[in-house]
Each structure stands twice: as C-alpha cells, then as structure tokens.
Amino acid sequence: MATTTTNLGADSEDRVMATAQQILKSLNTPKEVREDMLLIFSSFDNRLSNITDLINENSDTTGGRFDAAEKVILRWDSSSSSSNAEASRHSLPWEDSPDEAAEYLSAVDEILLLVVDMSIRSDNKIMDRAETAIQMAMSRLEDEFRLILIRNTVPLDSERLHGSIRRVSLSFAANEGEIGEDFESFGEVDSERGCFHDRGPSFGDDLCVDLINPDAVVELKEIAERMINAGYEKECVQAYSNVRRDALDECLVILGVEKLSIEEVQKMDWKALDEKMKKWVQAVKVTVRVLLNGEKRLCDQIFGGSNSVKEICFNETAKGCVMQLLNFGEAVAIGKRSSEKLFRILDMYDVLADALLEFEMMFTDEYMCTEAKGVLAGLGDAAKGTFLEFENAVKNEASKKPMQNGEIHPLTRYVMNYVKLLVDYSETLNSLLENDEDEANGLQSEDGELETMTPFAKRLLLLISSLESNLEEKSKLYEDGALHCIFLMNNNLYIVQKVKDSELRKLLGDNWVRKRGGSIRQYATSYLRACWTKALYCLKDEGIGGSSNNASKVALKERFKSFNACFEEIYRIQTGWKVPDPQLREELRISISEKVLPAYRSFMGRFGNQLEGGRHAGKYIKYTPDDLENYLLDLFEGTPLVLHHMRRKGT
C-alpha cells in the first residue's frame, strides 16, 4: 500500500499529532497489539512517522512520575527496606510537618491518577507495582486517620454542659404520719424542706460543642478523600466509626449512663433507679442535642464528597450509644410499676418522643427509628398503666388508724401534691389516655361539663372522687361525730385549695370548686349541730318553770352546771383538735360565737340575777360572755391546754 503524502503545513501536522495522542490515551489494548495498530496508522500518513517516538516519550515520562511517587510511599512503609524501619515506626508528622504530609498525599494522588491513565494499564508490571503502592499508602493513611481522630478527640465537658442547663424543679410536700406502703416512698424528706421532682435539663438553642479539634478536620477530610477515591471507603468508615463509637461510649460514661442488663435494672432499689432514670433523661438530651448533632456535622465535614459514605459512617458510629440508651428505656418500661416512678417515666417518654423526631431526620437506618418507636410505645404503656394503678391504690388504701386530732390525712397530702405535679404532663397524659375513658363514664357532672373535659381532666376527676370516697370511709373511724366533721372539713379544704392554687383549676373548672366549697360549709353546719346542740339546750327556757322572777333556783343551778360541764368538756377536747388553715379556724370560731354567746347572754340576762348574791353563786355562774369568747380562741390549735383559766374560776 502506498504511503499518502500531504503538504498542509505545520499547523496541520500538529493537529494530526494531537489526534494521535488522543488515540494513544483511548487505546486499552496489550502493548504488542497497540504498537502493531500504530504502525498501520503511520503507513497512511507520513506525518505519523514519528508516533513511535511519541509513545516512547510518553512512556518514559509516566514511568518517571510513577517512580518518584512510589519512592515517597515506600519511604514510610516498614516492609519496603530495613534502612527505613526506624522511620516507619513513626506516623506521618501531619501536625508538625505539614510539608511532608502534603508530599505524601501528592504521591498518593499521582499514583491514583496514573492508574486511571490508560497508558500504563497495559503494562502489567507497572500496574502490579501501582496496586502494591496503593495498598501500602491506604494502610498508612488508615493508621494515620485513626491516630488523628484519637489525638484530636475533644473530651466532653460536663461542667460546661451543666452550666448550659436550665432546670425545672417542682416542689412536692413530704408525707407525714402513717400511710399505706404504696404511698411511702415518694417525698420522704424533712417536711420543712419539702422535696423536689426535677424535670431534668433543658438546653439553650445555641449550645454547640466541638467533638474533634477543628484544626484536624482538614487533615481527616484529605485522607478520607484519598481512601474513597482509591476504593477503600469501607476501611475508612470502619476506622472512623470504631474510634468515634468509643468516644461516644466514653461520653455516656461521663453522663453517668452505664451498660446495664434488663435484669440489673429491674433489681435496683428505687433510690438507685431514680438516679439512673434522671441521668438517662439528661443523657438523651445531651446525646441528641449535642453529641449526635455534632457527629452528623463532623461526618458532613469529613465525608461531604460522598453522601452514601457519610450516611453509613454516621449510622455505624451513632448506633452503639443510641442502642445503649434504648436498652435502658426498655428495661424501665417492662419493670415493676409503682407510683413514685410515674414522673420519671413521663420524663423519659417526653424526652424520647422529642429525640425520635431528631432520629428520623438524622438516621437513614430505619432499624434505629423502629427500635426507638418501640421503646417509646413501651414507656407510654408503662406511664399509662402506672397512673391507672395509682388510681386503684388511692381507691383501695385502707389504713385504719384515724388521725388523732382530725388533721389532714397523709393520703390527702400525697395525692393532691402528686396530681398537682402531674398537671405539668397534661399534654402527654391526654395523648396516652385518649382511648381509655371507660372508667370515666361513671362520673357525674352538671351541664355537660364532661363533654368538654380533656381525657386527663376526666381521670383527675375520677381520682379525686376516689380520694373523697376513701376519706369519707376513714372519717367513720371517729366515734365523735364532731371530729368526723372536722376531719372532712380539713381534708376537703386542702383538696380545694390545691385545686384553686394550681393549674388543676383550669382542668376541673370553677363549678367544681364552688360545689366543694358548699360541701365544706355543710360539714361546718354538721359540726355545730353535733358539738354544741347539748350545750345550747342548757340555755333554753323549757323545764325551768315560771317566769324569770320565780324560776326554780334548783333548775337554774342545774342548767348552769350542765352548761359549764358541756363547755369545759368541749374546751378540754377541742383545744387538742387541729384546723391547720387559719381562715377556716377563724370562721369556725366565729360561727360558734354567733351560736353560743348570744344564747348565753340572753340566759344570763333573764336568770342570772336570781343566783347572784346567793351562797356559792360563783359555783354556778363561772363565766361571763367575755370569758367564753376568750376561751373559744383556744379551740383547734392542736395542743390540749391546761384549764388554768377555768381552775381560777373554781373548776
């Protein structure tokens, strides 16, 4: 075949050679076959006569670049040469000698680029050397990646976190006196100090911490990019997740969260478990708001060039600490139920519900979100079940020892302070109790009030009704009918005051408060009737005989003696009774005065002069109306008084 000869000038020749170079790069055939093809091409045009020189020149340049890059890689490999063994025992000085680190990364880039270049892919010997060099480099970079992560991990600063926490503490009155064991463990502290239910920490929106020294992120990103480009993303992810998993585990230890089995959790006494639950609530908030957000941000910074890698890396890193938290939540959810746990369980439910929203945005791993939903549902069932069991415990609490002075029963204090705190969880309890209203169907209310009440409000109404019924039963333990009334007055007033002075009033309504106020007035009326009827009967005219001028002195003396005896007996007993509320105590004294004093003055005015001046008159007319009024001020103080005033009168 004749060789084609053309004469199109130097520019045309350059264009032809450029085309030839492109052909060289695009050919992916064995060397021998490629050279035969190029010789055939050169026979068509004399301008391609020097293409063989081009091949040789390109091959020589590529080989030189590869040799230089390979030399840098081998310098840091322990198996390449015994003379380099000492150097290989040290990691690359990334922080101290950035130039050497940059040189190493450039060498890695060069080899990766040459491997991509088709011009050396046909040379098996060079490809083998390239693959070996890449393996060496990736092993070294993986080690360096791990070391940089470890050296630059920032310890969790618990003091700073605690300084950023806004705490909500709710007062809870202490139990006093004897009460059933179901109600013994909540709030057993000095009654003057009270105790507090801590709702747990709340963080400011601007709280952000560095999990890794920011200066190291650039180096980590550069290494990750090379490992991913070389196809070593799995090794990179594993190195990252192993180090960061350990770091997150250490953070949980700092936050007071231990790895505990379900059996270990269920065997804990309440005091220890309460502390663990409180720390768990804090740990979940810190983990979600600080650690996982920080970890997500860190993965975005280091692996931002590959969405799939950064998602896998985050999921693998975060899974361990999240599952540890969920395991504790599950152990609590299936544990024994008792009233003191309810607030902590509700705290755990609320914080996990908030965390679940974050999980769904953070995790692409559906397994994690599914597990969190399962634990959340378990905590919800535990909270609902504990609340319903508390209702039953209140209804069935059967302590038989009456309060000696008619004071407020410990059950009343416990229940009302308990439900007062529960109001803070109204939204949560409404959602949990929404489909469990069967028990509330037996409630009675006027004007369709029940139809407008929330599920939680209905349960509260039922709970307080159970408490009132229980107190009514306990009042029957008093043989003295008057003390029976004092007991019910004290306890019902305490219930009403707790409702009026809290958010309970909004739930139960003003009409409920008014009705209970009417009940308290009825108890006061019953007290006056039960206690003072006999004394007032002594001051009536019937049975004395005749007019005021000729009334039987014997009968008068007997009436005064009977009144004195009644009054002194009431005084002796009821100075030991207690009405803690000062307003109720004053209203009772006023009611007694309004009943007794006018009757005594009237009786004295009509008949007192018939005994005055006679022998032993003071034995019968021992008290003036003013004396009686002063003595009434001693009633209901809770401390029996020595009747020294009366003794001076000759008692």
Side-chain angles (χ1 to χ4, degrees):
M1 182 182 290
T3 302
T4 302
T5 303
T6 58
N7 187 17
L8 298 177
D11 290 342
S12 174
E13 185 174 341
D14 290 342
R15 286 197 297 273
V16 171
M17 292 303 297
T19 302
Q21 287 176 320
Q22 288 297 113
I23 293 172
L24 274 173
K25 291 182 178 180
S26 63
L27 291 174
N28 185 18
T29 57
K31 182 177 180 181
E32 295 78 7
V33 177
R34 183 176 56 180
E35 290 177 352
D36 290 342
M37 293 176 66
L38 289 172
L39 288 173
I40 294 172
F41 285 146
S42 66
S43 67
F44 286 101
D45 196 315
N46 60 7
R47 288 170 298 179
L48 295 174
S49 60
N50 61 348
I51 196 167
T52 304
D53 296 335
L54 181 63
I55 294 172
N56 295 332
E57 178 185 348
N58 183 68
S59 177
D60 292 342
T61 303
T62 299
R65 288 164 55 197
F66 177 79
D67 289 342
E70 184 186 43
K71 183 178 179 180
V72 174
I73 300 300
L74 293 176
R75 187 191 311 159
W76 296 97
D77 182 69
S78 60
S79 62
S80 63
S81 170
S82 60
S83 63
N84 289 326
E86 183 177 354
S88 68
R89 286 195 291 270
H90 304 283
S91 65
L92 290 175
W94 297 85
E95 290 94 350
D96 299 333
S97 302
D99 292 340
E100 292 189 46
E103 180 189 25
Y104 192 89
L105 292 176
S106 296
V108 173
D109 290 340
E110 186 70 25
I111 293 179
L112 292 175
L113 182 62
L114 290 172
V115 169
V116 174
D117 191 337
M118 299 300 181
S119 65
I120 72 166
R121 294 184 67 85
S122 62
D123 192 327
N124 293 332
K125 184 177 180 180
I126 293 181
M127 282 300 297
D128 289 344
R129 289 170 57 193
E131 289 174 0
T132 300
I134 290 173
Q135 289 176 359
M136 292 177 183
M138 293 303 109
S139 178
R140 172 59 64 185
L141 289 180
E142 181 182 345
D143 290 342
E144 190 60 35
F145 188 77
R146 185 181 294 104
L147 286 170
I148 292 174
L149 278 172
I150 294 172
R151 286 197 300 262
N152 289 278
T153 294
V154 178
L156 186 66
D157 186 351
S158 59
E159 292 300 323
R160 180 190 170 193
L161 286 176
H162 291 153
S164 302
I165 291 172
R166 297 188 296 267
R167 291 189 176 276
V168 181
S169 294
L170 305 174
S171 177
F172 193 100
N175 284 334
E176 298 174 9
E178 294 187 4
I179 193 169
E181 62 180 12
D182 289 332
F183 303 93
E184 286 179 349
S185 58
F186 195 96
E188 291 180 348
V189 295
D190 185 342
S191 60
E192 293 184 1
R193 290 187 294 111
C195 69
F196 295 89
H197 168 61
D198 184 356
R199 282 222 63 185
S202 172
F203 293 104
D205 293 335
D206 59 346
L207 184 61
C208 180
V209 299
D210 292 320
L211 305 180
I212 293 288
N213 188 333
D215 295 336
V217 173
V218 175
E219 284 87 358
L220 292 167
K221 178 179 174 64
E222 289 179 339
I223 294 175
E225 287 176 349
R226 271 72 178 185
M227 295 187 72
I228 292 171
N229 290 339
Y232 281 74
E233 62 270 11
K234 182 178 180 181
E235 289 78 3
C236 187
V237 167
Q238 186 174 5
Y240 179 90
S241 59
N242 284 345
V243 173
R244 291 305 305 159
R245 265 200 303 265
D246 290 343
L248 292 180
D249 288 345
E250 183 62 29
C251 289
L252 291 185
V253 172
I254 293 172
L255 294 171
V257 177
E258 305 172 51
K259 288 185 178 180
L260 299 168
S261 67
I262 291 177
E263 292 76 14
E264 288 174 321
V265 173
Q266 294 182 345
K267 288 180 181 178
M268 283 185 183
D269 61 56
W270 166 238
K271 185 176 181 181
L273 180 59
D274 180 50
E275 192 63 26
K276 294 294 182 188
M277 294 169 77
K278 185 164 55 175
K279 288 181 178 179
W280 187 91
V281 170
Q282 175 178 338
V284 170
K285 291 187 177 183
V286 172
T287 299
V288 174
R289 293 291 308 280
V290 180
L291 300 180
L292 294 187
N293 271 330
E295 202 65 52
K296 189 77 169 176
R297 186 170 59 252
L298 193 57
C299 286
D300 289 343
Q301 292 171 340
I302 296 174
F303 305 103
S306 174
N307 288 334
S308 61
V309 171
K310 72 180 181 183
E311 288 177 1
I312 293 171
C313 217
F314 174 75
N315 290 339
E316 288 299 312
T317 300
K319 184 186 299 181
C321 74
V322 171
M323 288 306 301
Q324 183 177 335
L325 291 170
L326 292 179
N327 288 341
F328 180 84
E330 181 184 10
V332 170
I334 64 178
K336 181 182 177 182
R337 294 172 183 173
S338 58
S339 58
E340 70 271 12
K341 292 182 182 179
L342 180 56
F343 296 96
R344 291 281 177 241
I345 292 174
L346 287 169
D347 286 340
M348 291 175 69
Y349 180 90
D350 284 344
V351 75
L352 186 55
D354 291 340
L356 183 58
L357 299 176
E358 300 280 346
F359 287 166
E360 290 175 336
M361 291 186 290
M362 289 180 182
F363 288 102
T364 56
D365 186 349
E366 283 297 322
Y367 173 79
M368 299 296 296
C369 295
T370 301
E371 287 295 300
K373 289 176 182 176
V375 174
L376 181 66
L379 288 170
D381 289 341
K384 182 173 64 175
T386 301
F387 180 60
L388 298 181
E389 286 189 14
F390 178 70
E391 288 182 352
N392 291 330
V394 171
K395 184 186 301 183
N396 299 320
E397 200 282 323
S399 55
K400 296 297 184 181
K401 186 177 180 180
M403 304 298 291
Q404 291 185 351
N405 53 12
E407 203 187 347
I408 301 163
H409 198 279
L411 178 65
T412 308
R413 294 184 186 275
Y414 184 97
V415 172
M416 293 312 299
N417 283 287
Y418 193 95
V419 299
K420 185 178 177 181
L421 293 186
L422 278 179
V423 175
D424 201 45
Y425 300 89
S426 292
E427 184 176 348
T428 301
L429 287 167
N430 276 327
S431 65
L432 293 174
L433 298 169
E434 189 171 7
N435 299 318
D436 293 90
E437 300 186 48
D438 293 341
E439 290 289 337
N441 291 336
L443 290 171
Q444 296 181 354
S445 183
E446 298 175 359
D447 304 325
E449 286 180 333
L450 284 176
E451 296 179 3
T452 61
M453 295 180 80
T454 65
F456 176 51
K458 292 178 182 179
R459 302 304 306 198
L460 283 181
L461 193 60
L462 184 66
L463 177 64
I464 294 176
S465 296
S466 296
L467 173 62
E468 291 171 332
S469 298
N470 195 319
L471 291 172
E472 183 69 38
E473 288 300 311
K474 293 185 187 304
S475 70
K476 296 176 182 178
L477 298 173
Y478 296 103
E479 296 180 1
D480 191 319
L483 186 55
H484 164 102
C485 296
I486 293 293
F487 173 78
L488 290 174
M489 259 192 294
N490 283 333
N491 283 271
N492 278 273
L493 180 62
Y494 186 86
I495 293 171
V496 170
Q497 286 175 332
K498 285 295 180 181
V499 172
K500 288 174 62 177
D501 298 341
S502 69
E503 294 297 307
L504 287 169
R505 184 167 192 161
K506 294 180 181 178
L507 293 174
L508 299 181
D510 290 336
N511 188 49
W512 184 93
V513 174
R514 284 193 296 270
K515 287 176 65 177
R516 292 311 182 277
S519 297
I520 294 169
R521 288 190 292 273
Q522 289 177 2
Y523 289 131
T525 300
S526 297
Y527 158 78
L528 291 172
R529 186 181 302 115
C531 180
W532 293 95
T533 298
K534 184 177 179 181
L536 291 172
Y537 179 79
C538 298
L539 303 178
K540 292 184 176 296
D541 295 350
E542 291 87 347
I544 294 178
S547 65
S548 58
N549 294 324
N550 59 6
S552 168
K553 289 186 178 182
V554 173
L556 284 175
K557 290 178 181 179
E558 191 61 33
R559 287 294 181 88
F560 274 109
K561 284 177 63 178
S562 297
F563 175 82
N564 294 338
C566 284
F567 184 82
E568 289 164 7
E569 180 68 8
I570 291 171
Y571 182 89
R572 181 184 64 81
I573 294 174
Q574 296 192 20
T575 52
W577 293 0
K578 190 168 185 178
V579 177
D581 183 74
Q583 182 176 343
L584 178 60
R585 187 167 60 243
E586 183 61 24
E587 288 176 357
L588 279 175
R589 289 167 178 169
I590 290 172
S591 297
I592 295 169
S593 297
E594 289 175 348
K595 288 280 185 181
V596 175
L597 296 184
Y600 189 72
R601 285 194 180 96
S602 176
F603 194 79
M604 283 279 294
R606 294 198 305 275
F607 304 112
N609 58 350
Q610 295 189 36
L611 298 180
E612 289 177 352
R615 293 180 61 187
H616 309 298
K619 182 178 179 180
Y620 305 104
I621 306 177
K622 296 200 294 185
Y623 310 112
T624 66
D626 290 340
D627 290 334
L628 296 182
E629 188 172 12
N630 289 331
Y631 294 148
L632 291 176
L633 297 178
D634 294 333
L635 301 183
F636 315 123
E637 290 291 344
T639 304
L641 300 175
V642 177
L643 306 184
H644 56 279
H645 299 299
M646 296 183 177
R647 287 193 174 91
R648 283 204 300 270
K649 288 288 185 177
T651 302

